[in-house]
Amino acid sequence: MAWKIIGIVATLILIGSIKNVIRLSNLNKNVDFLEKYTEDYVKYCNNFLGKSNRSEEENKLYIRLLSDAPKAQTLLMDAGYVDYKLAGTLTYINNYQVLINTVQTLRNPLPFGREEYEMLYNILIMQVSRLNELWNKTRKETFNPIILLREGVQFFTTLPISLLYWTGLIKYSTQYKLSNNIIVKFINFLIIFIGFVSAIFTIVLGWEQFKDHLDKFL
């Protein structure tokens, strides 16, 4: 029985390791994408914002920003949704998709909305930094067996949430929030703690003796 428990723990650590490697790869791609998008956005704002010329370079840059906007908006996660006050009005919009809506006005900027372009730039810079920080943290965790065990357990506890995301029923930002919810984390901790205690008692006492103690306790 002890070997079975060791095998289960080793499998969970392996799953956690694979999960972290995949996450590192995805984070690296997302950082590269968002950095390039920020670079293109700054280039457009510096060279073409508020100008009437429609050169070939401007057209290519604008189309690229527009085409990549949905993915960039997704990568901003919760930072990409703000309670926004329309310039020159008293109207507020909840959960305003700041990137998608701002990029669509690049060719026809609002006269009182220039702070919106600065706000989007700040959000992009902060999100790139946030993703870089998450990459560094995940890289360090890849060498920690306790955290890899936690990740392995979390893979199974969050599987229903992941299935909802894979089938398109929820957005990436919603999946991220639910997977990192305090209740989900507590369930992970509980499973790991019970498993850890069970493993120690099984190894020390033997399975039959541990089962007898458990039956008496229950």
Side-chain angles (χ1 to χ4, degrees):
M1 188 64 193
W3 287 109
K4 287 183 180 179
I5 292 175
I6 292 171
I8 291 170
V9 171
T11 301
L12 288 172
I13 289 175
L14 179 61
I15 291 171
S17 180
I18 294 170
K19 183 181 172 185
N20 263 26
V21 169
I22 294 172
R23 183 186 296 169
L24 278 173
S25 177
N26 289 336
L27 280 170
N28 193 50
K29 291 175 184 177
N30 291 341
V31 168
D32 288 344
F33 175 86
L34 213 54
E35 282 180 340
K36 182 63 172 65
Y37 193 90
T38 303
E39 182 184 328
D40 288 342
Y41 176 74
V42 170
K43 184 177 180 181
Y44 191 97
C45 288
N46 288 339
N47 297 330
F48 304 110
L49 185 65
K51 298 178 182 178
S52 58
N53 58 314
R54 296 287 185 268
S55 63
E56 184 179 349
E57 182 186 4
E58 184 275 340
N59 190 55
K60 285 182 179 178
L61 195 56
Y62 178 75
I63 289 174
R64 189 158 66 238
L65 286 169
L66 206 59
S67 301
D68 291 340
K71 182 178 179 180
Q73 176 70 53
T74 300
L75 292 179
L76 291 182
M77 294 187 286
D78 56 326
Y81 296 86
V82 299
D83 292 334
Y84 178 70
K85 179 180 179 294
L86 292 175
T89 72
L90 296 176
T91 304
Y92 281 87
I93 300 176
N94 296 325
N95 294 320
Y96 181 78
Q97 292 183 305
V98 63
L99 189 144
I100 285 179
N101 286 291
T102 301
V103 167
Q104 291 182 73
T105 67
L106 286 173
R107 279 187 167 174
N108 300 289
L110 298 171
F112 300 104
R114 297 190 70 86
E115 69 273 7
E116 187 174 334
Y117 302 108
E118 185 68 27
M119 177 176 67
L120 176 56
Y121 171 73
N122 292 338
I123 291 173
L124 284 166
I125 292 296
M126 287 188 290
Q127 188 64 7
V128 168
S129 177
R130 183 181 175 188
L131 290 176
N132 270 317
E133 186 179 341
L134 187 57
W135 187 91
N136 288 323
K137 180 185 175 186
T138 304
R139 184 174 177 275
K140 291 177 183 177
E141 290 176 349
T142 305
F143 304 99
N144 188 324
I146 301 299
I147 291 178
L148 292 179
L149 177 61
R150 182 198 69 191
E151 291 296 320
V153 171
Q154 191 177 37
F155 172 78
F156 291 100
T157 56
T158 61
L159 190 57
I161 299 170
S162 298
L163 288 173
L164 289 174
Y165 169 67
W166 294 334
T167 53
L169 294 175
I170 61 175
K171 292 186 273 188
Y172 175 74
S173 56
T174 305
Q175 184 215 16
Y176 181 82
K177 286 179 182 177
L178 291 175
S179 298
N180 290 277
N181 185 278
I182 190 170
I183 296 175
V184 174
K185 288 183 176 181
F186 178 73
I187 293 172
N188 291 339
F189 169 77
L190 208 57
I191 292 172
I192 292 170
F193 179 76
I194 293 172
F196 182 71
V197 171
S198 300
I200 291 176
F201 273 91
T202 301
I203 292 169
V204 174
L205 299 176
W207 172 246
E208 292 300 326
Q209 195 173 351
F210 173 67
K211 191 169 66 171
D212 291 340
H213 278 76
L214 189 63
D215 288 338
K216 289 177 183 178
F217 178 77
L218 296 176

